[in-house]
Amino acid sequence: MIEEHASFRQKVLRYPVFDAGGVLLLRAGAVLTERLDDLLRGRRIWLQVYANVVVAHGDGREEEVAIGEGPLHIGRGMDCQLRPVSVLVSKKHCLLRKTAYSVFVTDLESTNGTFLNGARLNGSLELTDGDVLSLGGGAHMRIRIFAALRGIYGSLAEGLVLGEPVVELFEECDTVIGDSNVSSA
């Protein structure tokens, strides 16, 4: 479980939000307002962010590696959790870390650079679902991020909390579900 976060005004989500049944509640680009966040937390519901690195192998296979609660170090070094086989990748190339509502990539001053969607990365940047990382020009990986609603009793598979449909929680905040122009009064 991701710990509670510091107070905020609003957060533009860079990934879609689903209920546990796979129903889309908010599209990437929707705004999580403070009012909606307070309403959800008041009902002991939170967004659980999931993030994976999708690595394409030369034979066409893809492998997904989860970004867990701690940082995921990428590089050729033995202490890295993801070790691409390329001389263009530094021993400690970059790291990925997940926060309450975001996923970030940080270049660790790699020799050949970390590229996000083709642009060289300096420092840290927040990732968006579907972003592509290139490490030194030799290893390419896609980022997959999404969120699901979670409650004190686990996932909301039925879409119900205390007998109320989850959709009503969003409507109470004047939030338009599935609209990238989400707003709150």
Side-chain angles (χ1 to χ4, degrees):
M1 173 171 85
I2 294 177
E3 295 298 317
E4 269 190 35
H5 62 286
S7 181
F8 66 96
R9 281 194 138 331
Q10 63 183 23
K11 167 75 177 141
V12 176
L13 300 177
R14 293 174 167 253
Y15 45 81
V17 177
F18 299 92
D19 72 5
V23 174
L24 178 67
L25 295 175
L26 295 171
R27 296 178 197 210
V31 176
L32 178 64
T33 64
E34 185 173 19
R35 184 173 173 201
L36 177 55
D37 184 63
D38 288 345
L39 182 67
L40 291 173
R41 286 190 298 134
R43 286 176 170 75
R44 301 177 92 166
I45 302 169
W46 64 93
L47 291 180
Q48 177 72 52
V49 175
Y50 298 91
N52 295 323
V53 179
V54 182
V55 180
H57 295 282
D59 60 4
R61 289 180 304 116
E62 286 189 340
E63 176 184 5
E64 288 198 34
V65 177
I67 302 170
E69 298 306 314
L72 175 74
H73 288 84
I74 302 174
R76 290 184 295 113
M78 293 305 292
D79 56 343
C80 292
Q81 291 85 10
L82 186 57
R83 296 190 300 267
V85 182
S86 172
V87 294
L88 299 174
V89 175
S90 297
K91 287 184 181 176
K92 291 189 177 183
H93 201 96
C94 66
L95 70 84
L96 302 173
R97 66 182 167 80
K98 189 169 57 167
T99 64
Y101 293 113
S102 302
V103 180
F104 292 88
V105 60
T106 303
D107 181 73
L108 299 176
E109 299 180 7
S110 60
T111 303
N112 295 313
T114 301
F115 297 83
L116 178 60
N117 300 322
R120 190 172 187 132
L121 175 67
N122 292 314
S124 294
L125 278 178
E126 185 175 358
L127 295 171
T128 299
D129 180 48
D131 278 346
V132 175
L133 287 178
S134 299
L135 308 182
H140 305 282
M141 46 198 74
R142 184 173 41 86
I143 304 299
R144 186 170 167 258
I145 307 169
F146 66 96
L149 294 178
R150 301 284 296 182
I152 58 171
Y153 302 109
S155 67
L156 303 173
E158 306 294 310
L160 300 174
V161 176
L162 304 174
E164 296 178 354
V166 169
V167 171
E168 287 180 13
L169 298 178
F170 287 86
E171 289 171 348
E172 280 183 39
C173 286
D174 301 318
T175 301
V176 180
I177 297 172
D179 186 350
S180 61
N181 297 315
V182 174
S183 63
S184 179

